[in-house]
Amino acid sequence: QVQLVESGGGLVQAGGSLRLSCEVSGRTASAYWVGWFRRTPGKEREFISSIKLNSGITNYSDAVKDRFTISREKVKNTVYLQMNRVEPEDTATYYCAGRLAGNPRYDFWGQGTQVTVSP
């Protein structure tokens, strides 16, 4: 079992910055990916970014690749999502999730953290 706990959400003005954290615990293999997703009411869940814990390889969606940065801190078993130049359209509940490399499905999910961007 793997547990993921998000934190860092809140209210931020458009153009500002926010950093989300995802603390990962439990049995994670070396080849393990952690991803960030977001969901707004009435819309499907959207992939934001992912990082492979051992190598640091990253992926981003086109919507955020020039504004958000994903990183990990191995000592703390924590993955971060640095959100810069946020826009009202970034308002959503943000989730982190984990999967083994080679598995297309994210098996474990956090509870989510709310991000609200005011105009």
Side-chain angles (χ1 to χ4, degrees), residues 8-112:
L11 177 65
V12 60
Q13 283 190 324
S17 297
L18 201 64
R19 189 177 78 163
L20 305 183
S21 300
C22 174
E23 184 175 350
V24 184
S25 60
R27 291 189 172 185
T28 58
S30 60
Y32 201 79
W33 287 84
V34 173
W36 283 99
F37 296 78
R38 66 187 180 189
R39 175 174 277 167
T40 56
K43 293 186 178 181
E44 291 192 1
R45 184 174 61 205
E46 177 186 8
F47 168 80
I48 298 300
S49 181
S50 62
I51 188 166
K52 195 172 184 182
L53 292 184
N54 57 351
S55 65
I57 295 173
T58 60
N59 295 298
Y60 294 94
S61 69
D62 289 341
V64 307
K65 65 182 179 180
D66 296 326
R67 300 184 295 119
F68 293 5
T69 302
I70 193 170
S71 62
R72 90 278 197 223
E73 190 170 359
K74 288 185 177 180
V75 173
K76 294 185 176 181
N77 292 323
T78 300
V79 173
Y80 302 102
L81 185 68
Q82 178 66 43
M83 307 168 61
N84 296 327
R85 303 196 313 277
V86 295
E87 303 167 351
E89 292 73 22
D90 296 320
T91 295
T93 302
Y94 285 72
Y95 300 88
C96 64
R99 66 174 177 88
L100 284 171
N103 181 2
R105 187 183 68 188
Y106 282 84
D107 293 320
F108 300 99
W109 292 82
Q111 82 287 351

